[in-house]
Amino acid sequence: MKKTMTWKKLVILGITVLIFGMILYKCNDFQKATLASYKGQTYERGVVTKIVEDNLAEDGNRYGTQKVQVKMISGTFKGQKKEAINPSGTLFGAECKVGMKIIVIVNKSGDNAGFTVYSQDRTIPIYVFAFIFAAVVCLIGGKKGIYAVLSLVFAFVCIIWLMFPLMYQGISPIFLTIIVAVLTTIITLGLLGGISEKTVAAILGTAIGVIIAAVAAIIFGKAAGITGFNVSDIEALNYVGQNTKIKIGELLFAGIIISALGAVMDVGMSIASTIQEIYETDKTLSMKQLFLSGINVGRDMMGTMTNTLIFAYVGGAMTTLVLNYAYDLSYLQLANSYVIGIEIMQSLSGSLGVILTVPVTAFIAAFLIGRKGKNELTCEK
């Protein structure tokens, strides 16, 4: 019997994955507009074999460009040694040393080719740290740790291969972000909590909390005169908007939803789990008592989770804040600048979503779990 149930679950899972894969394929089956020409330009891996001409000055700084010999380890020139220019910039180039693995921009035109150092090859460190992260989560979390990693992978798949392509084809970014947030929440909390009243309460609470954050951001934006066209990259985004169907004005608010999702999901699951555990300890508690217990726990969480979001936004805007501080800008100038206004809107709307997730989730969990308790007591009688 158990083997039959296991096979049924595997078949259902396989069919679901197949259907989801077909949906992703269909969503990505379109031609992108050409925004820039990259004809003849490729990015390839290489390793520095010789410093042909160094640009290190006596004062320890680098000026001008460095010339290096690179052995190409990918692309058309794989295995060949080529001389490359290494610019001394803060965003491009690298402090090349013999044996260093780098990324090389290859510009090919007819029989001629130019080689420029783009950056240090960071792919291996990225893979190693991602593996260490996944291993630690699985080691400490066990089965639930594996589910957590799988849900994180699912979230990234939804964002990159579902949300972005549909945004590109003209569907509302805010609508898509809410759909992806709810879908990710269902999968994440479903894997971690299984099918139960606790999971349903956490999913509903998280979905409502995310929507509250979105609505709060939109209302704040309307009141403060902030739109999605006031972001720092608006010139580049306008060019993209003119050549694609992307609704540029909604991207800012879609980003707020994604930013708040993690914290809101954490609060939703914590409150629902707390009420479930309290109910398991004393099944005679009423819905009101369960609700008040959830609120009491939520009050302790509000401060830390609100700080988490605000500190995250401050950390992300640290360079801008320090720059403003260094130039000694006046309060009225800072408070009324779009950059600061957007940061305040993001942090406060996200935090509002987190705070209101507490009573919403507590109410839903108390209702579902408390009703279950009443039914169980009735059956026992």
Side-chain angles (χ1 to χ4, degrees), residues 209-227:
V210 166
I211 293 171
I212 288 171
V215 172
I218 293 171
I219 293 173
F220 184 100
K222 290 283 186 183
I226 295 174
T227 70

Side-chain angles (χ1 to χ4, degrees), residues 7 24 38-39 64 84 90 96 112 114 130 142 151 154 169 182-183 192 194 204 228-229 235 243 291-292 337 339 368:
W7 275 108
L24 292 181
Y38 300 103
K39 187 178 180 180
T90 54
C96 290
N112 299 318
S151 64
F154 176 80
Q169 296 173 66
V182 172
L183 187 59
L192 295 175
L204 292 175
F229 294 98
E235 296 299 331
N243 292 276
F291 172 75
L292 292 175
S337 69
V339 174
L368 293 177

Side-chain angles (χ1 to χ4, degrees), residues 18 27 42 68 140 245 272:
L18 180 62
C27 290
T42 59
V68 296
I140 295 176
K245 296 179 181 179

